[in-house]
Amino acid sequence: MGFRRLRAAMLAAAVATLPIAAAPLPAAAQQRPLVWGDTLPATLDPHAIFDVPSQFVLLNVYDGLYRYQGNPPQLVPWLAESHTTSADGLTWDFTLREGIKFHDGSDMTAEDVVYSFRRLLAMNRAPAAAFSPVLRAENVTATGPRTVRFVLSSPYAPFLSAIPLVAIVNQRAIAPNVANNDWGAGWLAVNGAGSGAYRVDPATYQARVSLDLARFPQHFMGWSHTQRPIDTVRARPVMETSTRVLALLRGEIDATDSYLPTDQVERVDRNARTRVARDESMRVFIIRMNNRKPPFDNRDARLCFAHAFNYQGFNDVILRGLVVRNGGPNPNNLWGNPPDLVPYAFDLNLARQHCDRARAAGAPIGREIEIHVQNELEQTVQAAQMFQADLRRVGINLRIVPNTWAGITGATGQPQTTPDMWVHWVSTYFVDPENWVGQMYDSQFHGTWKASAWYSNAEVDTLLRRARASLDRAERERLYQAATRQVVADSPDIWVYNTLNLRGLARRVQGYSFSPVGSGGELRLMSLEN
Amino acid sequence: MARYILRRLLLALPALLGLVVLTFVLSRVVPADPAATLAGDAATPALIAEIRAQYGLDRPILEQAVIHLRQVLTGDFGRSVFSGRPVAEEILQRLPTTLELTFAALFIATVLGIPLGLVAALHHNGVVDNLVRVLSVGGLAIASFWLAIMLQLVFSMELDILPLRGRVDVAMGMPPRVTGFVLIDSLIAGRPELFVDGCRHLVLPAVTLSLPGIATIARFTRSGVLETLQKDFVLYARAAGYGRVRLAAIYVLRNAVTLVVTQVGLLFGALISGAVAVEAIFDWPGLGTYAVQAILSADYKALLAVTLVVGVVYAVVNVLVDVAQVVIDPRVAEEGR
């Protein structure tokens, strides 16, 4: 094929003209860049967004005071070398490491940390939500060149768990680019101002299309942990699953997203050039029920539905056993989850008994129930279809309504507009039971999509609020376990599984290390064979 | 002529105005709320309400509509709620990419469709004619995403002669932006290898997108030519001893082209809507993928702007088609009075 030779020649010519950001390697060791095929966030601004794709930018371009590493995730000091907490749990003092450099070569100081938190709170976007209830901008202060003090308005145990969400940004890089009081949001959406292991190349950046990263040799953690660090990374999101798999098999990309469909796993593993990394994550698959809408205000009705879902059929047959049964709101592998929790079983006879009881109590079991699915996520559709067939056998008529994430979450502000049922995952925002049972079943979160079961139980509210304010880990563990047991007994939702993240990788990628926060996208840990 | 063009343009304005109003109403009927998505995973009800107020989503719908219309009329499309960037900027960055794809598909559809239709008509009810008929029906019936995946499997995976996805080779990168059209910018930058690469990336998506176009143009050419062949002047010419080929080239085709040009305007709309699916499969960074992402994230500002831009492009193309028809056959303008 003449094309191949032509392409090789063109590639060589192109590579030869590439500006290599790091010190040039000897020509023999010239490394092919890593091509990352996972989804990119809508913006590069780490304070404007928090979703799964944004963690790629957060972990590679920026650093936080603390960071989650490994699986199950451990919270390790990162930019901070240590912290102390006052006895009342309100005052938190962090000490920065020495000699941290931003990408422009300037030194990071406590002032940058203060600026970052003030910017976060002023912009008041997704990552701020974990802090805004307990932290005011004026209560973040630099007490020295390397020391920062946070004074909370009320005790909030998950504070440290949420600290890794906040990227420390370079005040000096942002200041000249502030336009009409936007904290530089317009500029930082398409630029980088971090200290992370990789630098953004703003010249070639196109939102959701291409992001080029170059290794930052002066990163404070150093590079002694790897022999062959990756010098150049090209993030090229692939939208369609089929194209993504083909691109990996063909070697056009080195990594897919971490939600490889289960029916593609074998195909990717069989290929000599590629493999699938399987890692237990903390991402729970849930079928929600609107507890404010009859028949779901009746516990028997809810139990009827909980016993009518074929867990084993879905997990082991449709998803080929590539998930882990998870019988409660928290991931099994998280602390604070009762170790002896017995998941509800698929049992249509039991379901019928509960339904009969609910009917006898006047619950409108006979009405058509709507279940909203996220059309862009095939698995939510599959789950609903299977559920529909089994519910028909107990005399329940389920109608599947195609919708989108934005469409459903926009409707969960009130119980009247919240769907009867809907299907989604709860991913790791921060590693604390607060992220799951805390925000899903404490009635103070009503009006958010996470609390869209509209579950209300005064006893559970008390337990969760005490757990949120306590600084004693053992006590929190006890409180969360008690709350979770009570929630599971009330069966406000249907909990199906905990995800195994499946990422297709080129075999030349070494050192891939998964953590539920960031889904294994931390590039500094990886190296390339060729 | 100038008056004719002006009148055509003015006629397009109310349609575009209607489009602005209609898309706005649609975006509000669908209960997608970007505030909930923006507030993220640890949202509090207070935060969602605050974001709603910030974007004016809590105001009466009529007031929102008036504000939106006023902004659009002053050319202000606002900022994308998600990227925080001006929507106009994002769209301008992507519009040329989509136009490259649609023009390429239109070109393929024309250069293949016209000869196919012509040959079919000249061999009326022959083998070729029947083949073209099958193609016309099939070309319109085949789902573009299925065809796209098939082409990928054959030409990329099996034969390995064309790239699978993207606008340019990952290692090469985009040329410095001048016009936004990769094929033009690569030549301006003096990088012929990039031009070639850009063309190779264009082949599969453009072919996928052009198939319904080929079918439509072939069908219209065929019926146009058949109709013309029945006309008196053709009979006279035949009697005068003109050969088939010459006849077809000079008289028949010219008449048929008028019919085809009419179709191009309509076809262009179909191409733009078809581009959404094709762009998604080939990771073509154009307006189609932008629209899909806007829908999935309820980025209504971006979505309204994309719809309007596509509407304007469509209107302009149709005015150009009208003008071309007048150039080919001045009687059309007379009829329009």
Side-chain angles (χ1 to χ4, degrees):
Chain A
M1 270 294 145
F3 267 125
R4 279 202 194 171
R5 271 206 302 281
L6 179 69
R7 195 176 56 197
M10 288 188 327
L11 221 118
V15 169
T17 57
L18 274 178
I20 303 297
L25 297 160
Q30 194 63 277
Q31 189 187 61
R32 261 197 311 139
L34 173 85
V35 184
W36 191 255
D38 203 345
T39 316
L40 280 176
T43 167
L44 296 182
D45 187 336
H47 296 160
I49 192 167
F50 190 88
D51 56 14
V52 175
S54 70
Q55 294 176 0
F56 181 72
V57 174
L58 184 64
L59 290 180
N60 292 310
V61 179
Y62 294 93
D63 292 309
L65 293 173
Y66 272 66
R67 178 171 287 202
Y68 287 107
Q69 296 279 274
N71 194 16
Q74 299 298 313
L75 196 55
V76 298
W78 200 250
L79 291 172
E81 58 187 21
S82 64
H83 78 276
T84 56
T85 317
S86 61
D88 60 4
L90 295 177
T91 306
W92 297 68
D93 287 302
F94 290 81
T95 306
L96 282 181
R97 287 172 197 257
E98 285 190 55
I100 301 167
K101 294 266 183 232
F102 279 116
H103 293 159
D104 64 358
S106 60
D107 290 313
M108 183 186 293
T109 67
E111 289 298 340
D112 291 296
V113 178
V114 172
Y115 173 83
S116 298
F117 275 86
R118 289 191 175 170
R119 182 176 189 271
L120 174 91
L121 292 165
M123 285 174 54
N124 204 8
R125 282 287 177 273
F131 300 94
S132 48
V134 292
L135 184 64
R136 305 172 62 95
E138 62 268 23
N139 294 335
V140 187
T141 49
T143 49
R146 291 198 295 119
T147 48
V148 184
R149 169 166 293 177
F150 298 82
V151 181
L152 309 186
S153 45
S154 61
Y156 182 64
F159 178 69
L160 192 65
S161 307
I163 280 281
L165 295 176
V166 186
I168 305 306
V169 298
N170 184 347
Q171 193 179 343
R172 283 163 304 284
I174 296 173
N177 299 295
V178 173
N180 45 47
N181 214 353
D182 73 342
W183 290 85
W187 180 80
L188 205 56
V190 293
N191 284 279
S195 60
Y198 284 83
R199 260 189 299 216
V200 171
D201 176 3
T204 54
Y205 174 68
Q206 199 187 341
R208 287 172 169 164
V209 175
S210 63
L211 168 67
D212 290 352
L213 299 170
R215 190 166 67 92
F216 179 48
Q218 289 83 40
H219 186 243
F220 79 94
M221 286 294 276
W223 295 91
S224 56
H225 61 280
T226 169
Q227 282 289 301
R228 298 180 53 85
I230 303 176
D231 288 317
T232 314
V233 177
R234 300 207 165 90
R236 297 290 182 274
V238 184
M239 279 185 83
E240 284 293 322
T241 306
S242 77
T243 312
R244 207 179 291 131
V245 174
L246 292 179
L248 179 74
L249 296 176
R250 196 167 181 255
E252 282 196 28
I253 60 172
D254 293 308
T256 66
D257 62 354
S258 61
Y259 310 131
L260 193 69
T262 47
D263 56 6
Q264 297 293 321
V265 169
E266 203 187 327
R267 183 184 182 190
V268 173
D269 260 339
R270 258 204 327 262
N271 187 302
R273 252 203 310 224
T274 57
R275 67 184 182 96
V276 177
R278 302 169 167 79
D279 293 282
E280 183 167 5
S281 184
M282 292 183 169
R283 178 172 173 261
V284 184
F285 186 83
I286 301 180
I287 301 172
R288 305 307 292 257
M289 297 186 270
N290 181 345
N291 290 211
R292 289 270 180 94
K293 269 191 189 167
F296 299 111
D297 53 353
N298 178 305
R299 179 170 173 265
D300 272 309
R302 296 195 301 264
L303 284 168
C304 169
F305 277 80
H307 285 296
F309 188 81
N310 187 347
Y311 302 97
Q312 208 180 349
F314 189 64
N315 293 357
D316 294 352
V317 180
I318 295 183
L319 301 181
R320 302 172 191 228
L322 290 162
V323 294
V324 183
R325 174 79 178 106
N326 203 100
N330 305 311
N332 299 332
N333 49 351
L334 178 76
W335 65 272
N337 195 47
D340 53 355
L341 205 62
V342 180
Y344 289 115
F346 174 59
D347 182 342
L348 290 179
N349 286 329
L350 203 52
R352 278 189 203 98
Q353 287 168 26
H354 281 294
C355 259
D356 291 342
R357 249 180 264 160
R359 218 178 269 113
I365 291 286
R367 81 164 173 98
E368 184 181 69
I369 307 283
E370 285 189 355
I371 185 164
H372 285 238
V373 295
Q374 297 177 58
N375 232 18
E376 70 272 25
L377 296 163
E378 180 60 23
Q379 232 186 82
T380 63
V381 183
Q382 288 171 316
Q385 286 169 339
M386 197 189 76
F387 205 7
Q388 185 183 42
D390 285 317
L391 281 171
R392 200 170 291 136
R393 293 161 63 189
V394 294
I396 293 174
N397 182 9
L398 189 68
R399 191 161 74 88
I400 299 173
V401 183
N403 206 331
T404 62
W405 171 254
I408 300 169
T409 53
T412 55
Q414 281 129 12
Q416 306 81 349
T417 52
T418 304
D420 292 335
M421 305 179 85
W422 66 291
V423 191
H424 67 98
W425 287 264
V426 177
S427 300
T428 314
Y429 180 69
F430 46 89
V431 184
D432 192 285
E434 175 69 5
N435 184 72
W436 288 276
V437 69
Q439 291 177 342
M440 288 163 72
Y441 302 110
D442 180 338
S443 62
Q444 74 180 34
F445 287 98
H446 283 175
T448 65
W449 63 263
K450 247 190 197 178
S452 64
W454 297 95
Y455 172 77
S456 264
N457 180 325
E459 190 191 334
V460 170
D461 280 351
T462 308
L463 288 168
L464 291 175
R465 286 165 201 181
R466 275 175 52 206
R468 197 172 292 131
S470 165
L471 289 174
D472 175 356
R473 170 77 176 255
E475 188 194 16
R476 293 188 73 212
E477 176 119 31
R478 226 179 18 256
L479 291 164
Y480 280 124
Q481 287 198 10
T484 305
R485 275 200 190 89
Q486 183 58 57
V487 168
V488 171
D490 287 335
S491 188
D493 284 319
I494 297 165
W495 306 284
V496 182
Y497 71 71
N498 186 24
T499 308
L500 276 187
N501 272 49
L502 305 167
R503 194 190 289 278
L505 288 169
R507 290 187 193 264
R508 72 186 190 111
V509 178
Q510 304 290 309
Y512 174 80
S513 157
F514 182 87
S515 184
V517 180
S519 309
E522 201 169 339
L523 299 165
R524 54 179 291 277
L525 302 171
M526 297 178 214
S527 55
L528 283 177
E529 252 181 8
N530 54 22
Chain B
M1 187 70 184
R3 267 183 53 207
Y4 174 79
I5 296 174
L6 190 68
R7 212 179 63 219
R8 277 291 184 217
L9 281 172
L10 286 175
L11 280 175
L13 280 181
L16 289 175
L17 201 66
L19 182 71
V20 173
V21 174
L22 184 71
T23 49
F24 180 81
V25 170
L26 281 177
S27 79
R28 284 298 178 276
V29 170
V30 177
D33 180 359
T37 318
L38 272 174
D41 262 20
T44 53
L47 177 61
I48 296 176
E50 206 171 301
I51 292 175
R52 235 178 241 141
Q54 191 188 335
Y55 285 103
L57 295 165
D58 53 348
R59 294 186 189 154
I61 181 112
L62 210 63
E63 193 185 333
Q64 288 187 49
V66 170
I67 292 170
H68 173 65
L69 204 60
R70 201 181 318 146
Q71 283 176 333
V72 168
L73 289 177
T74 55
D76 171 18
F77 290 132
R79 283 173 179 264
S80 153
V81 289
F82 284 87
S83 68
R85 306 286 302 163
V87 167
E89 211 173 282
E90 290 187 325
I91 288 182
L92 274 181
Q93 190 176 34
R94 285 166 170 261
L95 180 63
T97 318
T98 289
L99 289 180
E100 269 182 320
L101 176 60
T102 38
F103 285 142
L106 199 57
F107 176 75
I108 294 172
T110 314
V111 297
L112 289 180
I114 292 180
L116 277 174
L118 182 62
V119 171
L122 292 180
H123 301 90
H124 188 36
N125 284 338
V127 177
V128 179
D129 190 17
N130 285 324
L131 277 178
V132 169
R133 267 191 230 171
V134 170
L135 179 90
S136 310
V137 176
L140 290 171
I142 286 177
S144 61
F145 66 87
W146 178 85
L147 178 69
I149 293 172
M150 285 300 133
L151 290 175
Q152 282 179 327
L153 286 172
V154 174
F155 291 96
S156 259
M157 304 303 288
E158 289 302 320
L159 300 176
D160 198 22
I161 52 177
L162 286 169
L164 181 77
R165 53 166 296 278
R167 182 65 199 91
V168 289
D169 193 280
V170 173
M172 290 194 184
M174 299 282 263
R177 194 181 172 84
V178 184
T179 62
F181 293 86
V182 168
L183 297 186
I184 299 174
D185 288 354
S186 60
L187 293 177
I188 292 176
R191 294 181 59 188
E193 81 286 354
L194 193 54
F195 175 83
V196 172
D197 180 68
C199 288
R200 292 184 60 233
H201 276 85
L202 190 54
V203 175
L204 291 186
V207 167
T208 310
L209 191 55
S210 69
L211 192 69
I214 296 173
T216 312
I217 289 184
R219 214 157 34 101
F220 272 91
T221 308
R222 178 180 168 275
S223 58
V225 171
L226 282 177
E227 201 182 320
T228 316
L229 284 173
Q230 315 300 327
K231 295 242 162 94
D232 290 345
F233 72 85
V234 176
L235 277 177
Y236 287 127
R238 272 197 171 167
Y242 275 79
R244 281 173 64 108
V245 175
R246 198 167 157 201
L247 201 68
I250 297 172
Y251 295 103
V252 179
L253 200 57
R254 207 167 110 188
N255 272 285
V257 161
T258 320
L259 280 167
V260 172
V261 165
T262 321
Q263 282 310 302
V264 167
L266 295 172
L267 195 61
F268 196 79
L271 286 177
I272 287 211
S273 60
V276 175
V278 174
E279 281 187 10
I281 289 178
F282 290 103
D283 288 317
W284 194 261
L287 284 186
T289 44
Y290 185 71
V292 170
Q293 282 157 343
I295 290 168
L296 289 180
S297 51
D299 198 339
Y300 67 102
K301 286 261 185 210
L303 199 55
L304 293 176
V306 169
T307 324
L308 187 62
V309 167
V310 169
V312 169
V313 170
Y314 186 54
V316 167
V317 167
N318 273 289
V319 170
L320 289 176
V321 166
D322 289 343
V323 172
Q325 278 182 300
V326 175
V327 171
I328 295 169
D329 186 354
R331 284 172 305 178
V332 174
E334 299 297 321
E335 283 168 22
R337 299 240 155 130

